[in-house]
């Protein structure tokens, strides 16, 4: 519970110390534990970040998600991207620039998963494009007329959730050798699809965000439900779009 | 633990305060947590309601089911459908009129899930109708000669459970843009199939009810088992009805 | 902790009262909770029974398995099949005569599950027989050359476990309208396959037993693993027997 | 907490007594419980071992993995393979010589699972070889361009993890009647594939190791993710290698 104002490594513990379970440093840990149990962040893949006021809290790279502790958490100043807290023995999350792309656009929480269902839908979209002799680049995951679509909001600046008769469109970007190199195509997808709350990454997973933790988490759940349902539908010869 | 008789928002806390784990306000929370772990109510989908005496207790819309608390619970007077307790910051469940349809017919507990197995069986029934050049409207999910069918009662006013050689018939209604608009077709299905304890909603999920919590819950489990088994059987080319 | 010698309903609580977690009345409850989480005993299906000395302890019918309590447990005198403890408000397990068939043959614990994998393998054996124009009656589930087969003992009176190159043979009996009516065919299967520790029931589930709780439980786990693997292998066109 | 220097059976309890959750005797128990919940070590299959300093700690054969206790643990002197602690009533793990093969090559932790996904990929590699009229012997499991591959290190003596564009190659050895007899082919595979951190055993499971517990565990998770994804991809007609 030391309170220091120094920005050197491992200090500024006050930034991550709280008895409030919804303090970002605590909340990231409970979320990571849930996501691990869902199979989204095994093998240290994936990540979670939360913005509160001027600060962004991010789970580090390489730490077992189900064992995450508040003292593992990195803290950034959003405005100037500088680290206020940087545990020396850990590596910052490679997702950091991607999370920042979401926070720059008003998100309050951003979640990255390696869900197999996300990976599989990107492969199925690619497979279908090839089967039609088309280029998969730029093709989105699309699904309509499933009630769970109503778990996704209409879009930034729009009021309410998608309707049962709306089509959910989630852009897919191609994976790169290094996570940070996804930033440009992630931002382009966010610009091209301004109403989206998620971007799929081919053969990699998905980034999902929301105005706050509760929205990002529930939207991530609805997205993953739809990805899994889409895989089951494909296996049974059921089309995603009529 | 305040005890007030006022029906204004957020008061009447005495209606939802009890140390008895089987008090509806507590029981709804433990059930929602289980249902979340079963994958039935992710992304805030689905819902649970319990009747006790003259009162109906309903989980609200939009709250994460695994984090439900007694103080989130809405309480209705069954006889006149008026709210005795209405947490102002929350929205009443959109399932409310559908739950009332079950309570009007003598149910003690009604459960709504977005189980993927429920969604998939409605799609498989539709697919099979189309393959035969038939109209899927009004076609039911039917399965026979599976032991778990004995987990479903014979029907209202009838004694005992379905037998191994009985056929389970679950009506399917078409989904609508708004949950409340399902009420009419749900009630029609309940009238047309007076022995049913469940109605499937195409591309949406299922409503299951029972005389009390234990029956509704165990019947929901048996239903979901049969939906999942039906999907596995379809994948393996095993017919649901001989 | 009352200690009475009366055999009237609800007394003889001393038979089910102990602080030892491995006392059958406690052990049945913890096992039922695990089995519920494995999807083996949902909707009150399935059951568990343990023999200790002259007494047989059985979980009742119709109670939610994950909520089982010691005071729910029935106790029988094995020698004369008379009830020493019979909670009046509950029904004895319909599996009782089937459990007794296993205990009569030296088992220490018998487990009955409605595992979907068990149900599906019985349907796949039937499907394969029909495809070959053969009668499925009397055909067994057979699988070989899977390491997990070594989790099953060679047979009663034989020393050691099955080997990797041995074939596991599990007899299948046809289901009946009432669970008790399975007893004759279960006993016939036990006589015809004296080395078996399990009997599958078509479209119903499986009975697995062992010399003691640890063996019955681990054998049930290995059996269910093999049933599930067999379904996955079938889907991928991989033969169970070379 | 007795402290004796005797190497006779059941003594040397000090070797397995610690309040540190990361002491090998405690850590093996928590790992085994997790692995049981993942479906990797049911029916007493599989095993876990950790090296600390001169000592190797191994979970015994035949004990239910989710109930493992520190006093069940065997302790070996790595240098001369002699037992320092040997619970008399338990059998040493049959995996012991295989674990030693990994420790001899610098591993800090070795994990053996019977994961169905591992078993299925070995069967799919075999099936594909047969379909091409080739001998499956010596063929490896290969997969590329899946982000989770980056959870596996490049190899011993090499720095960093595999890249997204690298191909993961996991050798497969044939199973034998007795676990100990796998040792020679496991060591040959380790020599032939010096960069591998895992060896699959046909129809049996997988051995995965790492420099320490955290690496072995997270690498086992990434491996199992890739095995499971490979099975799903195969079902959907998606190739593992372009």
């Amino acid at each position: 519970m030391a309170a220091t104002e120094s920005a050197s490594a491992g200090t500024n513990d006050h930034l991550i110390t709280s008895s409030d379970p919804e303090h970002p440093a605590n909340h990231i840990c409970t979320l990571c534990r849930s996501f691990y149990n869902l199979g989204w962040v095994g093998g240290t893949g994936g990540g979670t970040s939360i913005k509160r006021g001027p600060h962004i809290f991010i789970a580090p790279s390489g730490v077992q998600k189900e064992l995450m502790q508040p003292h593992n958490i990195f803290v950034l100043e959003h405005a100037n991207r500088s680290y206020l807290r940087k545990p020396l023995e850990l590596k910052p999350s490679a997702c950091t620039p991607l999370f920042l792309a979401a926070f720059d656009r008003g998100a309050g929480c951003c979640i990255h998963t390696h869900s197999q269902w996300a990976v599989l839908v990107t492969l199925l979209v690619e497979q279908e494009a090839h089967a039609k002799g088309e280029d998969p680049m730029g093709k989105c995951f699309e699904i309509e007329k499933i009630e769970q679509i109503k778990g996704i909001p209409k879009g930034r600046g729009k009021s309410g959730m998608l309707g049962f008769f709306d089509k959910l469109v989630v852009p897919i970007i191609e994976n790169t050798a290094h996570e940070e190199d996804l930033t440009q195509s992630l931002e382009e997808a966010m610009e091209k699809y301004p109403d989206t709350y998620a971007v799929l990454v081919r053969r990699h997973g998905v980034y999902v965000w929301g105005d706050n933790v509760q929205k990002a988490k529930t939207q991530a759940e609805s997205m993953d439900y739809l990805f899994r349902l889409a895989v089951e539908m494909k296996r049974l010869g059921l089309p995603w779009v009529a």
Side-chain angles (χ1 to χ4, degrees), chain A residues 17-224:
Chain A
T17 305
S18 167
S19 57
D20 174 9
E22 294 204 344
H23 183 281
N26 298 324
H27 214 164
I28 284 174
C29 300
T30 51
L31 289 170
C32 282
R33 197 157 32 247
S34 297
F35 299 160
Y36 176 85
N37 290 331
L38 289 170
W40 292 356
V41 295
T44 77
T48 307
S49 57
I50 298 174
K51 177 177 156 103
R52 179 176 278 199
H55 297 150
I56 291 172
F57 298 75
I58 310 185
S61 233
V63 173
Q64 297 170 77
K65 295 298 187 298
E66 80 285 13
L67 304 181
M68 191 72 62
Q69 293 294 319
H71 62 81
N72 300 141
I73 306 294
F74 284 64
V75 186
L76 279 169
E77 179 83 47
H78 186 193
N80 61 15
R81 273 86 158 114
S82 65
Y83 281 102
L84 298 177
R85 182 173 196 278
K86 206 171 172 178
L88 267 187
E89 76 289 5
L90 298 173
K91 287 173 44 181
S93 173
C95 310
T96 302
L98 297 128
F99 290 152
L100 284 169
F103 293 126
D104 289 346
R105 285 160 183 74
C109 173
C110 190
I111 295 164
H112 172 49
T113 93
H114 285 191
S115 162
Q116 299 208 359
W117 311 117
V119 171
L120 287 165
V121 294
T122 67
L123 286 169
L124 289 172
V125 169
E126 183 181 63
Q127 181 187 55
E128 187 167 344
H130 287 155
K132 294 178 178 176
E134 295 171 2
D135 183 354
M137 280 272 262
K139 292 214 183 297
C140 300
F141 167 66
E142 299 186 5
I143 189 165
E144 64 179 15
K145 294 208 218 122
I146 298 292
E147 181 72 8
Q148 198 75 28
I149 287 168
K150 292 163 83 175
I152 311 299
K154 278 194 161 126
R156 279 186 68 198
K158 297 182 183 177
S159 163
M161 312 300 273
L162 286 170
F164 174 66
F165 292 103
D166 290 324
K167 182 163 38 177
L168 174 70
V169 176
V170 183
I172 303 172
I173 61 176
E174 299 306 316
N175 199 25
T176 54
H178 304 289
E179 193 117 24
E180 314 83 73
D181 299 340
L182 289 171
T183 314
Q184 185 179 338
S185 40
L186 184 85
E187 288 178 325
E188 284 169 2
M190 288 167 157
E191 294 306 310
K192 189 170 178 196
Y193 298 90
D195 289 335
T196 195
Y197 281 87
V199 172
L200 282 156
V201 187
R202 186 108 52 210
R203 297 169 169 271
H204 182 155
V206 67
Y207 280 83
V208 186
W209 55 90
D211 297 346
N212 55 44
V213 176
Q214 192 254 12
K215 291 183 182 187
K217 171 190 171 281
T218 55
Q219 283 153 208
E221 287 171 359
S222 293
M223 287 282 175
D224 205 62

Side-chain angles (χ1 to χ4, degrees), chain A residues 143 229-241:
Chain A
I143 189 165
L229 186 71
V231 173
E232 302 281 355
M233 289 171 73
K234 177 78 182 181
R235 284 205 204 121
L236 292 161
L238 298 161
W240 300 341
V241 174

